[in-house]
Amino acid sequence: MTFGFAPSSAASLSTPAASAHRVLEPAEWAAAGIPLLRNPREVVSGLHARHRPTPATAVIAVLDPDDRLRASASFTRRPAPADGWMLRNALLAQLRRVIPHDLRRRTPVRTAVLLYCRDGDARWTEEDGAWMWGLRDACTLHGLRCGAYITLTRDGWQVLGEDRGGRRPNADSAPEPFGTAELPPPPPRTGGAASEVLRRAAAR
């Protein structure tokens, strides 16, 4: 699913100095204590297969404490100056559409991650900084933990602020099969104690 958003009239009134405060530098992002993904390639492959992002497409996803996907949405960013406030509003609108907020919790238990497909290489850009600012603020307003920011380019994917990435999937690759980990295990072929252990593990 793809949704667009139009720049607001307030954007035309914002000055470059004001916008500069809505961009996170890599050092600020690294110091924010962003939780690590247990299996980033699995998360990236799953979102890529579900949403098939093309350049200028953002995919916002909410993960439970076990890094299992609970909700996700994608939308296309229209050409406009990088402004974290506008991107925050777009992310927040998508979060409100796909999952209830957790503002009543004292401590966030779910985590939002952002995958952004764009042109260029994996090096940090001012646009990335605006997405980081927007993701962090949207998470605060929706009662979520701020999770990883991932870029997807023709060279592959990269978790910004970490030394983790890969060549596939990338902006040009076909979606890979996903969801096999969510399928129930095959029934055991033999009876006995081993069969009972497998049956109990499958029921959890």
Side-chain angles (χ1 to χ4, degrees):
M1 44 191 158
T2 302
F3 299 86
F5 66 96
S8 66
S9 57
S12 62
L13 301 176
S14 63
T15 64
S19 296
H21 296 293
R22 298 168 183 156
V23 173
L24 286 181
E25 299 284 342
E28 294 175 294
W29 184 255
I34 305 300
L36 300 177
L37 289 170
R38 297 178 187 178
N39 191 333
R41 188 183 187 282
E42 183 177 288
V43 172
V44 173
S45 296
L47 295 178
H48 182 261
R50 285 175 173 87
H51 295 276
R52 304 189 179 193
T54 56
T57 300
V59 182
I60 181 74
V62 178
L63 309 178
D64 69 11
D66 295 321
D67 274 6
R68 289 176 297 197
L69 181 65
R70 287 303 173 211
S72 64
S74 63
F75 61 96
T76 301
R77 177 179 185 265
R78 295 181 180 177
D83 186 340
W85 184 80
M86 289 180 60
L87 300 180
R88 184 277 309 272
N89 290 345
L91 293 172
L92 193 57
Q94 297 302 320
L95 288 171
R96 288 170 174 165
R97 188 178 63 82
V98 298
I99 199 163
H101 68 73
D102 278 347
L103 293 172
R104 292 184 180 88
R105 293 183 178 273
R106 290 185 178 181
T107 305
V109 296
R110 296 185 293 190
T111 303
V113 300
L114 178 61
L115 172 73
Y116 183 54
C117 182
R118 61 167 172 76
D119 292 320
D121 56 32
R123 288 176 294 182
W124 182 89
T125 66
E126 186 174 327
E127 183 183 25
D128 294 325
W131 279 115
M132 291 171 168
W133 191 98
L135 175 63
R136 185 186 64 176
D137 218 42
C139 288
T140 299
L141 295 174
H142 207 65
L144 302 171
R145 288 199 308 169
C146 179
Y149 173 68
I150 307 161
T151 58
L152 185 72
T153 67
R154 289 179 172 84
D155 294 333
W157 58 273
Q158 176 72 38
V159 183
L160 263 68
E162 301 178 28
D163 190 21
R164 294 195 291 177
R167 293 184 178 181
R168 295 185 67 86
N170 56 59
D172 293 329
S173 64
E176 300 176 6
F178 72 98
T180 54
E182 299 173 0
L183 296 177
R189 295 181 180 177
T190 59
S195 177
E196 179 65 12
V197 170
L198 289 174
R199 185 188 66 78
R200 289 179 180 176
R204 289 176 186 163

